[in-house]
Amino acid sequence: MKKIAIIGECMIELNGEPFGNMWQTYGGDTLNTATYLARVSNPQDIGVHYITAMGADKLSQQMIQHWQQDQIHTDSVLIDPNRQAGLYLIQLDKFGERTFLYWRSESAARYLLQHPDYPQVQDKLAEMDMIYLSGISLAILPDADRYALIEQLKQLAAQGVKITFDSNYRPKLWESAAKTQEIYTALYPLVHLALVTFDDEQALWGDNDPAQSVQRLRELGVKNIVLKQGKEGALFCDEQGNQQNVATTPVTNVVDTTSAGDAFNAGFLNGYLRDKLPQQCCQQGNQVAGIVIQHKGAIIDKNATAHLIDQFN
């Protein structure tokens, strides 16, 4: 069995129109990926472990129970009796594109590394085949904790644990673009697999084309690169610099693009952890994302992707 630890934050999600029809669920970029990865994987082959901190309140506990129902391992979810989960509101336009409002500055996940039981989580991380985190995983942490986590990942990478990173750049979560670049530059030499989106690379680094993004990441020491380009598909570049473009099938019924990239990552990682060819991994990512964007919310009904278990495994 391959074991992957996914580090991040899950929040309460409010979705709909303010002062109109609205429903409550949960989500967060890394939790979305963990959920879809667990749903499309055979639990005997891939063990998905979520690493975060949550509150002791009833709502937090109910969210954890939902993760367990998706066969996500939650033994490294720490409980903070003094804080709760963050909250975000999604508003959609007529094209399915979304805008977000967040209330997360004092969420339990922000203080994950300061939790008294976090050293036990560190021990668990050393048992993993892969550790996955995102730019948001780093953005929400106090600056000293960002560097502490990177130092821990450096030690784990030296022990053979593969570090996977989705840059997922959200400017409002960072002090400045310069600080984001500083943190990412410190992390990238440790990264075995980068799953990045070209729109984010343009926003953060000012890249003019995908080739520039790939070249910069290779120069920073990233071994394997997946550059997601939405309806244009994905570009994969391996350690030797070999590149491959993988097209995607256009989706005409786009309802909500909220977790498209997170869903792609889940499908890709299912293939990658099973040693499938890069083209197959990208195709799996496109399949999962293509289904998810036809439904509302970050986490859709599990029946929508149930058929992929037999296809992927």
Side-chain angles (χ1 to χ4, degrees), residues 13-307:
E13 175 188 306
L14 297 178
N15 202 319
E17 294 294 329
F19 309 110
N21 293 326
M22 186 169 294
W23 63 96
Q24 173 193 303
T25 179
Y26 60 87
D29 65 333
T30 53
L31 191 279
N32 302 340
T33 294
T35 297
Y36 292 121
L37 177 57
R39 287 183 179 181
V40 303
S41 301
N42 185 327
Q44 280 72 48
D45 295 334
I46 298 175
V48 181
H49 299 251
Y50 198 56
I51 312 295
T52 193
M54 296 289 285
D57 57 282
K58 185 176 181 180
L59 190 55
S60 293
Q61 297 308 304
Q62 288 176 337
M63 285 194 283
I64 294 171
Q65 290 171 12
H66 279 288
W67 309 344
Q68 293 167 343
Q69 290 169 9
D70 278 318
Q71 301 192 76
I72 296 173
H73 296 270
T74 60
D75 50 318
S76 292
V77 174
L78 302 180
I79 304 303
D80 186 335
N82 299 314
R83 298 183 177 91
Q84 299 172 324
L87 170 71
Y88 69 103
L89 168 67
I90 301 177
Q91 299 179 72
L92 297 175
D93 66 19
K94 62 181 180 180
F95 302 108
E97 292 300 327
R98 72 280 193 218
T99 56
F100 296 86
L101 292 173
Y102 293 99
W103 295 266
R104 73 197 313 173
S105 60
E106 288 299 313
S107 72
R110 174 174 167 80
Y111 299 95
L112 171 66
L113 271 70
Q114 299 177 30
H115 195 287
D117 294 333
Y118 181 73
Q120 298 172 23
V121 173
Q122 283 185 266
D123 293 339
K124 288 285 184 66
L125 292 176
E127 301 172 2
M128 299 293 152
D129 297 287
M130 178 178 284
I131 296 172
Y132 172 101
L133 72 161
S134 76
I136 294 177
S137 307
L138 292 167
I140 65 170
L141 298 176
D143 198 43
D145 289 358
R146 295 168 182 159
Y147 283 103
L149 179 57
I150 291 172
E151 184 59 33
Q152 292 165 20
L153 295 175
K154 181 178 181 179
Q155 296 173 15
L156 291 163
Q159 296 169 20
V161 180
K162 294 178 178 177
I163 310 301
T164 296
F165 181 61
D166 179 349
S167 58
N168 207 358
Y169 176 51
R170 297 293 179 266
K172 291 182 179 180
L173 296 179
W174 291 92
E175 301 91 317
S176 65
K179 170 54 71 173
T180 314
Q181 292 176 350
E182 176 187 319
I183 295 296
Y184 285 15
T185 299
L187 176 66
Y188 272 133
L190 316 176
V191 173
H192 171 83
L193 172 65
L195 294 154
V196 303
T197 302
F198 182 55
D199 287 347
D200 287 344
E201 300 307 290
Q202 286 183 302
L204 179 57
W205 302 95
D207 293 351
N208 296 314
D209 57 63
Q212 186 177 359
S213 300
V214 170
Q215 181 62 29
R216 178 177 39 75
L217 290 166
R218 292 196 70 210
E219 290 175 354
L220 287 170
V222 179
K223 296 178 176 62
N224 299 281
I225 301 161
V226 179
L227 186 67
K228 296 173 283 185
Q229 302 174 77
K231 63 182 180 181
E232 302 301 322
L235 170 65
F236 180 83
C237 180
D238 66 16
E239 294 186 55
Q240 289 72 43
N242 301 311
Q243 297 188 20
Q244 183 175 12
N245 287 292
V246 182
T248 186
T249 302
V251 175
T252 56
N253 182 35
V254 177
V255 174
D256 184 353
T257 61
T258 298
S259 58
D262 310 329
F264 175 95
N265 293 353
F268 185 95
L269 289 170
N270 169 275
Y272 199 80
L273 289 166
R274 294 170 58 80
D275 299 318
K276 293 186 179 182
L277 295 173
Q279 181 177 2
Q280 293 176 289
C281 298
C282 290
Q283 289 170 342
Q284 288 191 180
N286 289 332
Q287 279 185 269
V288 182
I291 293 170
V292 170
I293 63 176
Q294 296 181 62
H295 300 78
K296 286 186 177 180
I299 305 292
I300 67 173
D301 190 295
K302 66 172 58 180
N303 291 325
T305 56
H307 64 286

